[in-house]
Amino acid sequence: MLCRGAAMRFLLTRLYDWMATPPGALVTRKDPLEYLAKLRFFAAAEGSAALGL
């Protein structure tokens, strides 16, 4: 549950930054879809054994 929450947080903050960063800003926009894949993985994982714990 915590992994899914963390992935959702990073997905949403990266998505916001992707859409709201003005041209010429000195920050590097990062791809939010990376965390969408992680969120899907954590949603499909059954228990901590799937995470290697």
Side-chain angles (χ1 to χ4, degrees):
M1 180 68 99
L2 293 176
C3 292
R4 286 188 281 177
M8 178 66 77
R9 176 188 171 264
F10 278 98
L11 170 67
L12 293 176
T13 55
R14 281 190 176 191
L15 184 62
Y16 176 79
D17 289 343
W18 189 268
M19 295 172 46
T21 302
L26 296 177
V27 296
T28 302
R29 297 186 322 173
K30 296 182 180 177
D31 187 13
L33 295 180
E34 174 186 349
Y35 279 92
L36 180 59
K38 290 180 183 189
L39 181 61
R40 287 180 177 158
F41 170 78
F42 291 132
E46 295 181 13
S48 60
L51 303 176
L53 300 175

